[in-house]
Amino acid sequence: MSLSREETARLADLARLSLNDDELARIAHDLAEIIDYMEKLAGIDRADVEPLSHVLNTVNVYRDDRAEPSLSQEEALANAPDRQGEFFRVPRIIDTGEGSEA
Amino acid sequence: MSDNINARLCHMTLHELHDMLAQGQVSSREITSDVLARIDEVEASVGAYVTVDREGALSGADAADAAIARARRVGDAAEIGAVVGIPVVLKDNVCTRGMRTTCCSKMLEDFVPTYDAAVTARLRAAGAVIVGKANMDEFAMGSTTQTSIFHVTRNPWDPERVPGGSSGGCAAAVAAGEAVAAVGSDTGGSVRQPASFCGVVGLKPTYGRVSRYGVAAFASSLDTVGPVTQDVRDCAIMLNVMAGHDERDSTSAPNAVPDYTEYVERGVEGLKIGIPKEFFGPGMDEGVRTAVERAVHALEGAGAKIVDVSIPLVEHALGVYYLVATAEASSNMARLDGIRYGHRPEGRSGMDVADLMSASRGQGFGMEVKRRIMLGTFVLSAGNIDAFYGRALRSRRLLKEDVERALAQCDCLASPTAPTVAFRFDEEPDDPLAMYLQDIYTTLANLAGVPAISVPCGFADGLPVGLQIMGRMFDEGTLMQVARAVELTSGFDRARPEVGGCVK
Amino acid sequence: MRKVTERDDYEVVVGIEVHAELATESKVFCGCKTDFGARPNSQTCPVCLGMPGALPVLNRRALEYTIRAGLALNCSIAVRTKFDRKNYFYPDLAKGYQVSQYDIPVAHDGYIDIEVDGQPKRIRVRRVHLEEETAKLVHAGDDIISANQSLLDFNRSGIGLIEIVSDADMRSADEARAYLTKLRSILVAIGVSDCKMEEGSMRCEANVSVRLRGSKEYGTLVELKNIASFRAVHRAIQYESARQIDLVRSGGRVTRETRHWDDARGETAFMRSKEQAADYRYFPEPDLMPLEISREWVDEIKSGLPELPDARAARYAREFGLPASDAALIAESRELASFFDGVCDALAKAGAEAVDRTDGPREAAKWLVGDVSAALNASGIELSQSKLAPELLAELIGLVASGKISGKIAKSVFEEVFASGKRPGDVVRERGLVQISDAGQLAAIVQRVIEANPGPVSDYFAGKEKAITFLVGQIMKETRGRANPQETNRILREELAKRA
Ligand SMILES: [Zn+2]
């Protein structure tokens, strides 16, 4: 089983990765291997097993609601590729349908 | 430095150097200077570092020397911390305040954190001298250190061979005397496999034992932070400093931290060491098999009881590992979008913000990272999530139970760390799946969360072979005991590679 | 704009999703402050900026507030829950995913009771979950250079946010507005959010569809965004339902889409299609441990809940005999309710002679929903910003009840008290407004008026009862309104009877 170019391109869009044709082709090929893994696991998968998300059994890890010092503005913006005064700056936003509320 | 010590400082172990520092026989400046000199000598042929902070290291050394002098003056030499004045290197995914932290990616080429990782802070507080940052596979994705954007790292035992990865820079630096000890990260074997290839000790602690705060995430539920050292005692000392609960990491364990050095010389008399039969099947190099079997035999000679155990599902470990690791990685890499930090592409006039992110990521990430992001996105995408990710998490529980069952019959499990010794650069298999096979012995510990150590146990074709010992949750102590016994009986005897014209 | 909103043959179906920022001191997963209006990017840290290696730690109070909100909305609280990552890219999202809750919300299956035109109705609350805020995007369009760019402030990033999702139980814009009003009054009453729509700490989206009355199937749903006030909710739903009904009637088809409410133009505009569902790749957040919410904790939170608006309104009606509508109006606003309680306390404390235990509060309620609300509306300020204090209103009520001033005079005294914050007693004294109740004094005035108005007096004797009103008016004129009306009436009739 392998993936169509269109499906691979859809994934690249979902992952916000600009990929060239060569990269797309190689990844489509590798995706087939992941599918093989998945199919092999079908042999041991059992619906009655609880999925394991954490190896530790700890629950309820909290902090108290106490304000702590933040970074300075300069520190916060220190690595910004583009900024305007006290803000990070980005080019215009074209709504994609999956974003935060506009 | 006293005359009867003919070895160079840079080749001494952490505990040897500590004793000399505490007794006033040597200063941290001398040690640090020798390590920096060693870097100058061999770095061109090893390539372990991506950032060397000479000034910071020397001023750190001076501060340590002042502290040591103070302690000695008031007769408190016994109170001098175990890593005070010791030059260490950190993998370049461990954040260092004010020092570039790149994950060896174009994406973070210019990233200078405004914060220290928890381990960085612990090491600084304990007085260690941070010499710089070690080369690695980009975002820790790889097992040869070749996906770094900077340069390759060569195995100090043979410059034609890889150091392993992804913590290849750490292992090579410690093996070549370019750092006394190192801090790496291990998601599927990234500390243990390079330690095995470079003939040094590498530990993957229990998940939650060492805080992950400030270490760039690859796969959150698998990531651990562990030391790379010259011997087992050094490993215990580093773990003493690194381990402990951190309230900034919700997955960090509150369990008490014992003094791991107390386990080192306890011997293996009466310990039961399990040999998982599935680990000794086909696919393993004969040389590796011989070295490992000899080491196990020696352990038996030292009083350990060797028992056969089984981990029937081990063949599925890699599948589960790749589904879980890529899924989590695809999400963890999402913060790297070039907005608040990171690579911003050239020629972006007219781009909208979505194009900008895609271009930033497309240009900022190398092929291996892109591949894993894509695989993970696929695993998690609508319609696949249960068949892929859900199945992986259910299988992961079965695997963990398998490991626990085996560990209920013995105190720890022994196996090779890797199926081969370090391979040549030109031997790199084209098939990424074949490369992934490098991880078959190591991923199991990450999936189960249990600790595992790689300790040199001999040679095959003149190259180091690592023995892996996997233990129960939070039982790093037993790993120290067994690993030390391997050290004593294997005849490896802290052998050091010949590199840059200087041998121990 | 179309005027017709609900037509007999079609019915509107509305579901509402509300986001409310939690009023915690620090953010939900880091220690940064949550103050509104701070300098941009001055309340951030590696965690809420999504820096490499930074990890979240849950603010316990944020969870407590979510449980509190769930309980106040009559929800069941999950025994075991967890966080999930919702993966999508947007410049305001620091990590490329939002920590949220997918399949196990903290609270589920509750309800809110509303009343529209005297008709009670129960609106089901499907779920309440906890998640994190995104950063604030400022669209820079004020000068040519920056017109094509947006600016980001991460102070808001990581503030605790609860999402409250209703079932599609509302059938009109009025019901939707009543639901939102009640929801806000509850959240404010229990102190989990200040719910200021104008500051964005409460936001709402409405899912609107229409169908033939009596139909069991739902129509195609349209999501409305950018609704920034209660008024806008009402207008947007009215507009959108009319648009859909017109569309369907003229043979068209409603498409699954998101529409943007343009408040200035008073219409909704197409924003994007939702024919294809977004692929958020939810999976359990590996950086946060699961939660087990104990029965004891839930009970403790429940017992600490303040009186909710419905219960308060019922109590006002029961204890003080307030009319249901007044009681509901006062109880719905935390500010009005606490002012009302203050007046009642002050009245009780003063022991206010002649103020009956229920008359006083009833008077207070009348003042609050009447003159006080009118004065606030006219001046455009909040009750808390005004100079009126509960003690002042209580004193005014006392002055009327004890007969010192008439109700009519009281209105004029109130105006001055509201404007100046002076004590009503002082105003009455300064302006010489004390009521004349002395029988001798009044009798003299009455006699004067009778003598000066023989015409109306004879009209009265001729059976024109109305003439009395004229004579009372003349007495009031003479006393500038200070004559005690009841006494005046009694003495006037007495005096007239003598002359009969
Ligand atoms: Zn923060």
Side-chain angles (χ1 to χ4, degrees), chain A residues 43-59:
Chain A
I44 61 165
D45 193 11
R46 295 203 325 248
D48 62 333
V49 176
E50 200 200 330
L52 179 87
S53 291
H54 294 89
V55 292
L56 301 178
N57 294 320
T58 327
V59 292

Side-chain angles (χ1 to χ4, degrees), chain A residues 70, chain C residues 27 30-32 43-49 157:
Chain A
S70 291
Chain C
K27 294 183 179 180
C30 65
C32 291
Q43 292 174 175
T44 68
C45 72
V47 177
C48 55
L49 285 171
S157 168

